[in-house]
Amino acid sequence: MMNCSQAPGFILLGLSSNSEKWQPLFSIFLVLYLLGLLGNLLLLLAIGADVHLHTPMYFFLSQLSLVDLCFITTTAPKMLETLWTGDGSISFSGCLTQLYFFAVFADMDNLLLAVMAIDRYAAICHPLLYPLLMTPCRCRVLVSGSWGVAHCVSLTHILLLSQLYFHTNQEIPHFFCDFGPLLLLSCSDAHLNESLMMALAGVLGISALLCIVSSYGCIFYAVAKVPSAQGKRKALATCSSHLSVVLLFYSTVFATYLKPPSSSRSSGEVVAAVMYTLVTPTLNPFIYSLRNKDVKSSLRIRILNMVKSQD
């Protein structure tokens, strides 16, 4: 325990050890970050300002945009600072704070995608009962419950991590503080942390994924019984954006975390982490807006009104 501390400092190595790549990478990820902020803010404003979009589906979509907005802001600023200055130093408290909010928003993405699948199931499989099933009160309970679960799970992990001892002044081979790289630097026995993390991640992840798969199983069964091809296309059109986001989210999550937390990371997993933490939250609002006539119409009206007001 001579070279160990309970509150050490860390150095984030970032995305590349080649300093010649830092400036191009900084430019690329700054543009991605600004696009993510702009896209999610515009989607939030469009849904909030248009009374026609005050429905359960768009309420959940606005929550997803809010979470994605916070998600990219958790990791991107520190990554950009490291690329710009070459200084990836971060305090222990700063590392735990970043990790806490990262876990909260990652879990919220996971849970909200499951809630949105339930909403689509209720709308397509039980259209007549939909207004009674998805009342504003129940929607708020689903979202509030998701926030509560996400915060409780994240707090549990952070409290356990704060009790560990770590090697001092160690380098983290990542662009943000994540569970796996931190556990690798621990001087203490991190078996409990690793087991609990895998258990909670497994319960949350598998439960949400089973909810999504079973919801869409029922949806596809109901759509298959629709006699007209036009009716089938109309029913599935409301699910296409959500399915695209689900596939993008879970494919990058599995590529990043489908291994023990304390094992070392490859360059491919770092790329997957970039997709998961920055690219996916940036693409989500564009996927929903480009494939949704209501959102596109609302955004078009808002932009035209802004242009007219400036004239």
Side-chain angles (χ1 to χ4, degrees), residues 153-205:
V153 169
S154 182
L155 185 61
T156 301
H157 289 313
I158 296 304
L159 289 175
L160 286 174
L161 270 175
S162 66
Q163 304 304 309
L164 298 179
Y165 284 83
F166 295 88
H167 294 287
T168 55
N169 298 319
Q170 286 294 303
E171 296 176 338
I172 299 177
H174 216 328
F175 60 91
F176 69 97
C177 289
D178 201 359
F179 290 106
L182 275 181
L183 292 178
L184 279 173
L185 301 179
S186 175
C187 303
S188 310
D189 183 6
H191 181 71
L192 174 62
N193 299 69
E194 184 171 338
S195 299
L196 184 63
M197 190 176 88
M198 294 186 70
L200 289 175
V203 169
L204 278 181

Side-chain angles (χ1 to χ4, degrees), residues 20 73 119 150 154 164 199 216 242 286:
E20 294 180 359
T73 303
D119 174 69
S154 182
L164 298 179
Y216 274 103
H242 181 252
F286 296 100

Side-chain angles (χ1 to χ4, degrees), residues 103-170:
V104 167
F105 299 129
D107 286 339
M108 274 302 298
D109 257 340
N110 179 50
L111 293 170
L112 277 175
L113 289 175
V115 168
M116 294 169 80
I118 294 171
D119 174 69
R120 291 299 81 212
Y121 161 75
I124 294 173
C125 297
H126 304 285
L128 298 179
L129 295 175
Y130 182 69
L132 298 175
L133 293 173
M134 303 303 292
T135 61
C137 181
R138 285 179 179 170
C139 292
R140 286 192 292 269
V141 167
L142 284 170
V143 171
S144 300
S146 298
W147 278 110
V149 169
H151 277 287
C152 287
V153 169
S154 182
L155 185 61
T156 301
H157 289 313
I158 296 304
L159 289 175
L160 286 174
L161 270 175
S162 66
Q163 304 304 309
L164 298 179
Y165 284 83
F166 295 88
H167 294 287
T168 55
N169 298 319
Q170 286 294 303

Side-chain angles (χ1 to χ4, degrees), residues 158-303:
I158 296 304
L159 289 175
L160 286 174
L161 270 175
S162 66
Q163 304 304 309
L164 298 179
Y165 284 83
F166 295 88
H167 294 287
T168 55
N169 298 319
Q170 286 294 303
E171 296 176 338
I172 299 177
H174 216 328
F175 60 91
F176 69 97
C177 289
D178 201 359
F179 290 106
L182 275 181
L183 292 178
L184 279 173
L185 301 179
S186 175
C187 303
S188 310
D189 183 6
H191 181 71
L192 174 62
N193 299 69
E194 184 171 338
S195 299
L196 184 63
M197 190 176 88
M198 294 186 70
L200 289 175
V203 169
L204 278 181
I206 293 173
S207 298
L209 196 55
L210 283 176
C211 182
I212 292 169
V213 170
S214 58
S215 295
Y216 274 103
C218 295
I219 288 170
F220 292 145
Y221 180 73
V223 169
K225 294 193 293 185
V226 176
S228 67
Q230 185 179 358
K232 291 178 180 179
R233 283 195 298 270
K234 186 177 179 180
L236 291 175
T238 62
C239 302
S240 60
S241 298
H242 181 252
L243 271 175
S244 300
V245 171
V246 166
L247 291 173
L248 187 60
F249 177 78
Y250 283 105
S251 61
T252 53
V253 168
F254 289 154
T256 307
Y257 293 110
L258 206 59
K259 61 185 298 186
S262 59
S263 56
S264 59
R265 294 188 174 272
S266 65
S267 58
E269 287 167 318
V270 174
V271 172
V274 171
M275 292 290 295
Y276 166 51
T277 59
L278 188 61
V279 177
T280 300
T282 298
L283 290 178
N284 284 352
F286 296 100
I287 291 172
Y288 273 101
S289 58
L290 290 175
R291 293 193 174 191
N292 192 298
K293 293 180 181 178
D294 295 331
V295 174
K296 283 195 289 187
S297 175
S298 179
L299 286 172
R300 193 180 299 114
I301 292 170
R302 296 291 166 276
I303 293 170

Side-chain angles (χ1 to χ4, degrees), residues 51-106:
V51 293
H52 298 100
L53 300 182
H54 292 179
T55 62
M57 182 176 77
Y58 292 109
F59 171 68
F60 296 134
L61 179 55
S62 68
Q63 290 296 307
L64 184 66
S65 288
L66 176 63
V67 169
D68 285 340
L69 187 67
C70 297
F71 195 20
I72 56 175
T73 303
T74 302
T75 57
K78 183 59 185 177
M79 176 180 66
L80 292 171
E81 180 193 344
T82 303
L83 288 171
W84 182 255
T85 64
D87 180 16
S89 59
I90 186 170
S91 66
F92 184 64
S93 59
C95 192
L96 289 188
T97 301
Q98 185 187 56
L99 185 53
Y100 174 81
F101 286 107
F102 168 79
V104 167
F105 299 129

